[in-house]
Amino acid sequence: MLIEMTIKGLVVDSFSSTPIVILKDKAGDKVLSIWVGIYEANAIAQQIENVTMPRPMTHDLLRNLINDLGGKVDRVVVTDLRENTFFATIHLTVKGEQVAVDARPSDAIALAL
């Protein structure tokens, strides 16, 4: 069962000083916390705050490649949690074809934003 979620915010785990992306469902009943790296959190924060960098970040490069190849991002799905690691897929439409690409959730979220 897929549950549509949005980003509630970015916080820092006070114990480990690791950034956490907080996702919530539309009703606000379900929350998903994903620990991410500092660079990934920075990329997500830049997208949330609409900050433009002088050179493309990795998620900008991916977006540019997808757009230039005639594709669009349909959705990002966090698919699994194994051994404390989240997994995700980026679902794209490219020239009318549906494509799913394996990705880290942090990269997929930055791209989706």
Side-chain angles (χ1 to χ4, degrees), residues 7 10 41-54 57 59-60 63 109-113:
I7 294 178
L10 283 168
N42 187 45
I44 291 168
Q46 289 172 352
Q47 290 301 298
I48 290 171
E49 297 170 10
N50 202 25
V51 173
T52 304
M53 300 302 290
M57 302 291 287
H59 61 278
D60 297 319
R63 183 192 62 236
I109 290 167
L111 177 62
L113 288 171

Side-chain angles (χ1 to χ4, degrees), residues 39-93:
Y39 299 112
E40 293 81 2
N42 187 45
I44 291 168
Q46 289 172 352
Q47 290 301 298
I48 290 171
E49 297 170 10
N50 202 25
V51 173
T52 304
M53 300 302 290
R55 298 291 300 145
M57 302 291 287
T58 303
H59 61 278
D60 297 319
L61 171 64
L62 289 171
R63 183 192 62 236
N64 293 344
L65 281 169
I66 292 165
N67 290 339
D68 290 352
L69 293 172
K72 77 176 189 80
V73 175
D74 298 319
R75 69 183 183 275
V76 167
V77 179
V78 177
T79 58
D80 202 1
L81 173 62
R82 293 189 305 253
E83 297 177 19
N84 295 321
T85 301
F86 282 98
F87 292 80
T89 53
I90 302 168
H91 293 262
L92 311 162
T93 301

